[in-house]
Amino acid sequence: MVSQCKTAILISGSGTNLQAFIDAVGNGSLDLDLTVVFSNNPNAYGLERAERAGIATACIQHSDFLDRESFDCAVITELDRHQPDLLILAGFMRILSPTFVAHYSGKILNIHPALLPKYPGLNTHQRVLDAGDKWHGSTVHFVTEELDRGPRILQGRITVGPSETADELRDRVQTIEHHIYPLAAGWVGSGKVVFKNGQCWVDGEKSPEPSQVTL
Ligand code: GRF
């Protein structure tokens, strides 16, 4: 991918990960063109963050559509006006249709608050505690049709404290996310990391296991 790749960020809520992207571009540590922030929720605080940073915003409410497919087609039409090279899902609380994923094949990234393949889906922090795991963290991955199962790019790991609560874990995992998500997106934006034949490639080599950072 080219430098200054046009990037759309999709949110539904607070947008702390979006803020991490805005800050990283602002301080020069990330070379992406944040072209548009899209939300399905008009009250998402992330929209205010985007406006404050001078980034174009767009909002389409899923509740205005009869089904997932027609909503996704409307989102595609809106996003394509900005011709994005890369889509960043940052707390976008919608399952994407196969049509959407195919339209942007290999160009969509997600961050999931668990060390995938463990704990796809919701309530990851409580599930980690219930299982007595010693390690937890977050994973940046390419999006494929299968929820939370696309090729993994980068994981941030933390140790679970002996008496830590799910809320405390969530806060620490989010701190890692703000570090690893812009980092991984920068790799994709520069072409260091690519999605090819359904797999993640790093510097021209197939990379079945994600890179890892431990904080
Ligand atoms: C993140 O914790 C991410 O793991 C999950 O959604 C959350 C979004 O948080 N996919 P924020 O809106 O970026 O604060």
Side-chain angles (χ1 to χ4, degrees):
M1 226 167 256
V2 288
S3 75
Q4 277 294 308
C5 93
K6 291 186 183 176
T7 304
I9 302 191
L10 282 67
I11 61 165
S12 296
S14 154
T16 64
N17 279 283
L18 162 65
Q19 189 65 52
F21 276 81
I22 293 170
D23 293 346
V25 168
N27 69 26
S29 62
L30 177 63
D31 186 21
L32 294 178
D33 175 5
L34 304 184
T35 309
V36 61
V37 171
F38 175 87
S39 179
N40 63 316
N41 168 16
N43 300 315
Y45 180 60
L47 290 172
E48 285 182 40
R49 296 182 192 269
E51 279 160 20
R52 223 180 297 139
I55 303 169
T57 60
C59 180
I60 300 174
Q61 295 190 67
H62 59 275
S63 49
D64 288 345
F65 293 80
L66 284 178
D67 54 33
R68 186 179 306 282
E69 193 75 19
S70 49
F71 170 71
D72 279 7
C73 286
V75 179
I76 287 172
T77 302
E78 175 59 36
L79 290 178
D80 278 356
R81 291 178 46 232
H82 302 272
Q83 300 187 307
D85 301 304
L86 183 62
L87 269 59
I88 301 291
L89 307 183
F92 186 58
M93 301 304 284
R94 299 285 306 163
I95 292 174
L96 302 174
S97 64
T99 303
F100 190 97
V101 174
H103 187 79
Y104 298 111
S105 176
K107 294 181 174 182
I108 314 174
L109 303 187
N110 184 42
I111 191 160
H112 179 76
L115 296 174
L116 292 171
K118 290 186 107 177
Y119 311 116
L122 299 174
N123 299 322
T124 56
H125 312 301
Q126 191 57 52
R127 288 157 70 199
V128 163
L129 291 177
D130 292 346
D133 288 1
K134 293 206 164 20
W135 288 95
H136 186 29
S138 192
T139 305
V140 181
H141 64 96
F142 287 107
V143 171
T144 56
E145 277 189 28
E146 219 184 335
L147 186 68
D148 298 332
R149 288 296 186 215
R152 297 163 300 158
I153 302 168
L154 176 62
Q155 291 185 319
R157 292 154 43 97
I158 55 170
T159 51
V160 179
S163 54
E164 208 161 6
T165 65
D167 285 350
E168 287 166 342
L169 267 185
R170 182 203 57 220
D171 289 350
R172 286 208 297 135
V173 165
Q174 276 214 322
T175 302
I176 299 185
E177 291 185 336
H178 301 160
H179 175 67
I180 65 170
Y181 207 1
L183 182 62
W187 291 346
V188 176
S190 69
K192 174 185 176 67
V193 168
V194 298
F195 177 90
K196 196 169 74 179
N197 300 332
Q199 286 178 304
C200 177
W201 295 64
V202 181
D203 293 329
E205 304 278 339
K206 215 179 281 183
S207 175
E209 292 302 319
S211 302
Q212 296 199 334
V213 292
T214 302
L215 297 179

